[in-house]
Amino acid sequence: MENPSLSLLFKVVGVLLLGLAAGLVLDVRELSDTLLVTGYPEHWRKAGLAGAPARAAACILAGISLIALGWLYRLLFAPLELLRKPEEVGYIPEEGRTRAQTANEVRRRRKTGDLPPVYPNGWYRVLDSHLLEKGDVRSVTVLGEQVAVFRALDGTAHVVDAYCPHLGANLAVGGRVVGGCIECPFHGWQFRGEDGRCVRIPYAEKVPDFARIRTWPSCELNGMVFVWYHCDGVDPTWRIPEQEEITSRAWVYRGRTEHFINAHIEEIPENAADIAHLAHLHTPGIVSGVDLRYTNSKTWEFVRHDWKVQWAPEPEPSQHCSRMLVKHALTIFGRRWPLLDLDVVARQVGPGVVFLTFDHSFLGRGVIMHCVTPVEPLLQCVSHSIFYQSNIPPIVPKFILRAECIQFERDVMIWNNKKYISKPLLVKEDSAIQRHRRWFSQFYSENSPRLGFQQDSLDW
């Protein structure tokens, strides 16, 4: 992920700084006499305090240097990781309440509207690949279900129901990987990740043929583990495309953001077809922040973003995909800066995955993987993982990801507080919204689960 030579350089400099500090501490007497021409008072020397100021100064200087070096290293080379808590973004704290209390109150009192089914059929991200080493087991909540994600010792990732069919222990809490199986922490039953079949019960003479656990159709590509969901148990009808540059490591991981959105899943991709909101919500410069009460402040009105957008569904056999073309321009004091013009192609694949592809003559090429995964009916986990040209300084994709995060968090403030309207009042210029809803409806089936009443979920 990082440039090995630069990483080594920073480590060498750190070691040299530590060596310098140690040398100063050990050689305090000569240094003290050099810095203090008159030398130390005799009673200091008798008390053993000669060189103490120099020793303290050397330690402080070395400490500050190491802190600065670490900060510079993280800024320039380490991946950007912004993982927001559910209550952290999108709410206005009320007086006398914490953000978590405010968020829970908003969730309880908000009108939900006449909602579509809550879990569309399709592929969803459950975990980033680099978070799952060989032998690791992770507990994940997805589509209202608890699943155990584990990587077998041959490197294959598997997703199974979390609860052991024997007596209900959670396999992801204390379970361990044995070869290609996951072992229950309660009684040691072992289930094969490939098909869920139980292959060993330590105290039983024979393993019943019907002893098995549910496995989820899954795949691993583009640096992520995905699962397939269909309310009727239908096998995958389409696949997520592979981004060849990620597989070949021409593009490398430079960071990710993660947010939890208190809304129906369809609200999030619908933004692609809501062209009018860009001019109002996303025109103020990113320097004006994410709080919608202040984004239009006159202090920062000299920085503006201009957007030109087109959205359309793709024809067969890619009818499960849609495409948004974005042309972005930045103006400062009314003057356009062509160097910062950016063209983005946002290709949505199914209900939960979007490829945001960048191609710039100066800033290079890369992709942001935008993934939306339902945690529960009205709670979505949204992640943005950026992969960028390995020969482009990491600070470039990190800045792009940070800028995208600011713009996205403005939308979060809308989603977390809005009501879904099934029959919205639209004008002619909003026609793409209705087309998007018709396109998105293909991911629902007759048996797709619906939210029949307002559910109270766990407080944050």
Side-chain angles (χ1 to χ4, degrees):
M1 303 299 179
E2 305 166 2
N3 187 316
S5 59
L6 289 174
S7 177
L8 179 61
L9 175 62
F10 270 77
K11 291 177 181 178
V12 170
V13 172
V15 171
L16 290 176
L17 283 173
L18 285 174
L20 176 62
L24 289 174
V25 170
L26 293 173
D27 198 25
V28 290
R29 186 172 300 276
E30 290 79 358
L31 179 66
S32 304
D33 292 337
T34 301
L35 295 178
L36 301 176
V37 177
T38 58
Y40 286 102
E42 186 63 27
H43 62 276
W44 278 41
R45 295 183 181 277
K46 290 180 179 179
L49 296 178
R55 184 184 297 113
C59 290
I60 293 172
L61 179 62
I64 293 174
S65 299
L66 286 173
I67 292 172
L69 192 67
W71 176 85
L72 189 62
Y73 176 78
R74 288 193 299 271
L75 174 67
L76 296 178
F77 305 111
L80 176 66
E81 302 276 352
L82 293 174
L83 310 180
R84 304 300 197 193
K85 298 178 182 177
E87 74 277 7
E88 191 174 348
V89 177
Y91 299 100
I92 299 177
E94 299 178 4
E95 187 175 353
R97 292 177 178 266
T98 64
R99 285 186 177 273
Q101 290 172 332
T102 299
N104 288 323
E105 184 63 27
V106 169
R107 299 181 79 202
R108 290 191 187 99
R109 69 186 181 209
R110 190 183 64 169
K111 301 290 185 181
T112 58
D114 184 13
L115 296 171
V118 291
Y119 299 143
N121 303 319
W123 288 98
Y124 296 99
R125 166 194 169 271
V126 290
L127 201 65
D128 285 358
S129 295
H130 71 271
L131 300 177
L132 193 68
E133 301 289 340
K134 285 184 180 181
D136 280 355
V137 183
R138 301 283 184 180
S139 176
V140 180
T141 304
V142 55
L143 299 148
E145 302 280 354
Q146 288 288 115
V147 298
V149 186
F150 71 96
R151 191 178 297 283
L153 298 186
D154 66 358
T156 305
H158 300 287
V159 183
V160 300
D161 276 356
Y163 299 111
C164 179
H166 177 216
L167 284 174
N170 191 322
L171 301 176
V173 181
R176 68 188 184 102
V177 175
V178 180
C181 302
I182 184 169
E183 183 181 83
C184 176
F186 201 6
H187 297 89
W189 290 33
Q190 293 178 7
F191 299 91
R192 197 160 53 199
E194 181 181 352
D195 55 11
R197 184 185 177 93
C198 182
V199 297
R200 182 174 185 266
I201 300 176
Y203 53 88
E205 293 182 1
K206 182 182 178 181
V207 177
D209 292 338
F210 56 82
R212 62 180 61 236
I213 196 168
R214 176 192 175 193
T215 60
W216 291 62
S218 62
C219 66
E220 184 172 14
L221 74 168
N222 302 330
M224 300 176 184
V225 179
F226 298 90
V227 294
W228 169 263
Y229 167 83
H230 196 287
C231 62
D232 298 318
V234 175
D235 290 334
T237 55
W238 46 269
R239 295 288 179 181
I240 298 173
E242 180 182 32
Q243 190 75 45
E244 294 181 0
E245 293 87 347
I246 297 177
T247 305
S248 67
R249 296 189 59 79
W251 295 355
V252 296
Y253 174 77
R254 293 304 188 194
R256 71 183 174 107
T257 64
E258 185 176 87
H259 298 81
F260 289 90
I261 314 300
N262 181 26
H264 187 278
I265 182 174
E266 191 173 336
E267 301 260 34
I268 297 170
E270 188 172 282
N271 259 23
D274 185 5
I275 298 170
H277 95 282
L278 289 168
H280 188 77
L281 190 65
H282 298 294
T283 289
I286 59 174
V287 289
S288 61
V290 303
D291 192 325
L292 302 185
R293 295 172 295 175
Y294 312 116
T295 52
N296 285 300
S297 168
K298 292 186 178 298
T299 304
W300 302 107
E301 65 179 0
F302 63 89
V303 182
R304 313 291 283 178
H305 299 279
D306 292 327
W307 309 90
K308 292 183 179 179
V309 178
Q310 292 180 333
W311 178 88
E314 294 187 11
E316 294 183 1
S318 300
Q319 66 271 22
H320 60 280
C321 300
S322 67
R323 192 176 294 261
M324 179 176 68
L325 305 179
V326 182
K327 290 186 176 294
H328 166 267
L330 180 69
T331 60
I332 301 178
F333 292 110
R335 180 182 176 183
R336 179 184 166 193
W337 292 72
L339 186 63
L340 297 178
D341 287 357
L342 193 61
D343 292 345
V344 180
V345 177
R347 188 180 191 229
Q348 177 153 2
V349 182
V353 181
V354 180
F355 293 74
L356 294 163
T357 307
F358 301 85
D359 191 349
H360 194 278
S361 58
F362 176 71
L363 298 178
R365 301 174 63 235
V367 65
I368 291 179
M369 296 291 299
H370 165 101
C371 299
V372 184
T373 302
V375 178
E376 56 185 52
L378 295 180
L379 183 64
Q380 319 302 323
C381 176
V382 183
S383 69
H384 294 86
S385 299
I386 190 165
F387 297 84
Y388 221 77
Q389 277 183 246
S390 58
N391 59 344
I392 296 293
I395 196 169
V396 172
K398 289 168 66 175
F399 174 78
I400 292 174
L401 183 63
R402 188 69 180 90
E404 193 278 338
C405 179
I406 292 173
Q407 294 286 13
F408 183 76
E409 289 183 353
R410 295 179 184 177
D411 290 307
V412 173
M413 198 166 189
I414 298 292
W415 291 323
N416 279 0
N417 297 277
K418 78 184 295 294
K419 169 187 174 181
Y420 179 85
I421 298 181
S422 58
K423 296 180 180 179
L425 177 60
L426 303 176
V427 296
K428 179 180 67 175
E429 290 76 10
D430 294 324
S431 61
I433 295 176
Q434 284 291 52
R435 287 191 289 127
H436 186 277
R437 291 192 175 189
R438 287 194 296 270
W439 171 79
F440 200 89
S441 66
Q442 68 179 295
F443 305 116
Y444 301 126
S445 303
E446 182 180 353
N447 296 320
S448 292
R450 290 181 175 271
L451 186 68
F453 55 92
Q454 178 71 42
Q455 290 182 328
D456 287 335
S457 54
L458 293 177
D459 287 352
W460 294 328

